[in-house]
């Protein structure tokens, strides 16, 4: 049982109408009295938090939150690396280490069977940093989204947005490994240089300084075969203006719309998609839960061989969670953003 008697928690202080800010969060500290767990529950100590754009969706009001809206005063939810301190669940024991959908607090009582996201056991040989970094659900998102939804063929042109980020950088490199020509779209010269030098993409477009549609037209004269879309909005439109016949658009995320105060906009010209026989398909990584182990193994091999490089942006201190989170929307993260409690 834990020695902690106080539980710090980051809660939602105000609902962001548009751009989320640090002031939308409040830290509370309350006494933690370990009460008896109900059957199926586990008590965990949250050690490492994955700071992910998808958390933004839970800050929206009911009706615009796809996995439940967090109430004002409610604790922020997100994936974390956790130590099991106590268990009344038959599959988990004290001392187990898991990646689970948890909360931004020191101690949490979780009910894994009722969680919308499956719990991943973390073997003793794997650190939480690895489990939430290189071998994380984000890497698996890139792997399954590209291979299963995008279905790229060798020689095809693949475009990836938010390409220097956690999901995007893996999508770029898997596409390159599969023999595709990779065009990465990211914000700023430093991210573009890293994508070309370290991730070995063929071209990188700095969307903050050039006209993306015009640049794609110049770089992809026969069109874009697969677009791995992390951002939506104007970059999605620019790619659709350059999509090849029978192109595939992998709808992974729409980060450009998360702070917009409204729904993410669709394409401007559906007729172009009809005549181009273009397929757009959304997915969530949880769709592939039964195939996680071999996929993780493949990603691990590629990393060991030097075929995939990843960056982890590790911050230290429970206090910095809101600042880290808002950095995602300013592009101020370099790779997978993790906060150690
Ligand atoms: P990330 O890419 O590491 O970080 C977010 C990046 O998005 C920022 O660094 C920034 O990079 C870019 N960005 C922010 N605002 C933008 C805007 N207005 N326009 C263009 N780019 C913007 O985050 P991640 O965790 O890997 O997530 C990437 C996407 O995947 C998100 O949309 C997320 O919701 C989605 N996702 C989906 C699933 C799924 O199952 N479908 C699972 C995980 C994540 P720049 O500096 O390049 O602008």
């Amino acid at each position: 049982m834990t020695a902690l008697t106080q539980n710090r928690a980051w809660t939602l202080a105000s609902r962001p109408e548009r751009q989320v800010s640090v002031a939308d969060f409040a830290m509370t500290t309350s006494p933690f009295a370990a009460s008896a767990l109900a059957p199926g529950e586990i008590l965990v100590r949250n050690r490492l938090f994955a700071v992910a754009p998808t958390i933004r969706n839970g800050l929206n009001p009911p009706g615009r939150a796809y996995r439940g809206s967090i109430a004002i005063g409610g604790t922020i939810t997100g994936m974390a690396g956790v130590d099991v301190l106590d268990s009344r669940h038959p599959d988990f024991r004290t001392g187990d280490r898991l990646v689970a959908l948890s909360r931004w607090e020191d101690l949490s009582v979780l009910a894994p069977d009722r969680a919308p996201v499956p719990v991943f056991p973390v073997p003793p040989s794997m650190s939480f940093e690895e489990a939430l970094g290189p071998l994380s659900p984000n890497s698996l998102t890139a792997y399954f989204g590209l291979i299963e939804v995008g279905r790229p063929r060798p020689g095809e042109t693949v475009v990836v947005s938010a390409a220097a980020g956690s999901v995007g950088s893996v999508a770029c490199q898997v596409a390159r490994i599969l023999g595709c020509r990779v065009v990465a779209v990211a914000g700023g010269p430093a991210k573009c240089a890293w994508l070309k030098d370290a991730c070995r993409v063929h071209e990188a477009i700095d969307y903050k300084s050039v006209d993306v549609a015009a640049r794609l037209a110049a770089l992809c004269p026969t069109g874009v075969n697969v677009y791995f879309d992390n951002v939506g909005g104007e970059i999605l439109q620019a790619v659709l203006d350059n999509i090849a016949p029978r192109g595939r658009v992998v709808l992974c995320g729409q980060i450009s719309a998360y702070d917009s105060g409204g729904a993410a906009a669709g394409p401007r010209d559906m007729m172009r998609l009809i005549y181009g026989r273009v397929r757009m398909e959304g997915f969530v990584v949880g769709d592939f839960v039964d195939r996680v182990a071999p996929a993780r193994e493949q990603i691990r091999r590629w990393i060991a061989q030097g075929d995939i490089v990843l960056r982890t942006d590790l911050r230290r201190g429970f206090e910095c969670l809101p600042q880290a989170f808002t950095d995602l929307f300013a592009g101020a993260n370099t790779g997978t953003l993790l906060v150690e409690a």
Side-chain angles (χ1 to χ4, degrees):
M1 190 54 70
T2 174
L4 276 186
T5 54
Q6 298 288 311
N7 197 20
R8 294 172 302 170
W10 277 109
T11 62
L12 184 61
S14 55
R15 208 174 279 298
E17 292 293 330
R18 295 177 74 90
Q19 194 177 351
V20 65
S21 82
V22 169
D24 293 318
F25 302 89
M27 190 160 83
T28 62
T29 304
S30 49
F32 185 81
S35 53
L37 296 172
E41 288 182 340
I42 56 176
L43 171 65
V44 302
R45 173 94 189 247
N46 296 300
R47 297 289 187 187
L48 188 66
F49 298 94
V51 181
T54 187
I55 292 169
R56 176 69 181 81
N57 194 249
L59 313 186
N60 285 337
R64 277 212 303 117
Y66 295 99
R67 254 188 204 136
S69 169
I70 297 171
I72 298 296
T75 305
I76 308 303
T77 53
M79 299 298 286
V82 306
D83 286 328
V84 177
L85 301 181
D86 195 7
S87 173
R88 284 200 66 198
H89 190 291
D91 296 344
F92 306 109
R93 298 156 62 140
T94 301
D96 281 354
R97 297 158 69 247
L98 311 171
V99 163
L101 183 64
S102 190
R103 288 185 287 277
W104 286 9
E105 57 190 352
D106 289 313
L107 299 162
S108 303
V109 174
L110 306 178
D113 295 343
R114 296 202 298 274
V117 180
V119 166
F120 298 97
V122 179
S125 58
M126 198 185 288
S127 67
F128 281 142
E129 207 179 313
E130 256 187 304
L132 286 171
L135 303 174
S136 68
N138 278 355
S139 295
L140 296 166
T141 301
Y143 178 93
F144 287 118
L146 184 74
I147 293 175
E148 300 295 333
V149 184
R151 296 180 216 149
R153 292 182 284 271
E156 287 191 324
T157 295
V158 174
V159 173
V160 179
S161 54
S166 183
V167 174
S169 61
V170 177
C172 284
Q173 294 174 87
V174 173
R176 192 204 68 228
I177 291 166
L178 297 178
C180 299
R181 180 167 171 268
V182 184
V183 179
V185 181
K191 288 187 179 182
C192 288
W194 179 74
L195 282 159
K196 288 198 80 168
D197 299 343
C199 300
R200 291 177 282 149
V201 302
H202 300 85
E203 303 287 348
I205 300 175
D206 174 2
Y207 75 92
K208 291 186 174 167
S209 68
V210 301
D211 177 333
V212 177
R215 193 77 189 115
L216 284 173
L219 292 174
C220 314
T222 57
V224 174
N225 302 106
V226 176
Y227 174 42
F228 193 102
D229 184 20
N230 284 315
V231 308
E234 287 308 307
I235 297 176
L236 170 61
Q237 188 60 51
V239 179
L240 291 177
D241 290 345
N242 287 281
I243 199 86
R246 299 204 179 276
R248 286 84 76 199
V249 178
V250 182
L251 296 174
C252 177
Q254 298 276 295
I255 194 168
S256 72
Y258 295 175
D259 265 349
S260 69
R268 269 197 288 271
D269 183 0
M270 295 303 286
M271 290 307 286
R272 189 187 170 107
L273 306 187
I274 293 170
Y275 282 96
R277 283 83 167 167
V278 172
R279 173 166 62 84
M280 297 180 74
E281 185 175 337
F283 78 102
V284 292
V285 63
D287 298 344
F288 301 96
V289 65
D290 298 338
R291 295 160 57 191
V292 162
R296 253 185 179 176
E297 205 34 58
Q298 177 62 78
I299 294 166
R300 187 202 285 279
R301 268 198 303 276
W302 279 331
I303 294 169
Q305 291 161 4
D307 291 328
I308 290 187
V309 295
L310 291 110
R311 284 199 298 201
T312 301
D313 186 340
L314 179 65
R315 318 268 175 102
R316 291 203 165 78
F318 185 77
E319 306 74 20
C320 75
L321 273 164
Q323 181 60 57
F325 180 62
T326 57
D327 279 356
L328 284 173
F329 301 92
N333 62 310
T334 49
T336 307
L337 189 45
L338 302 177
V339 171
E340 202 173 70

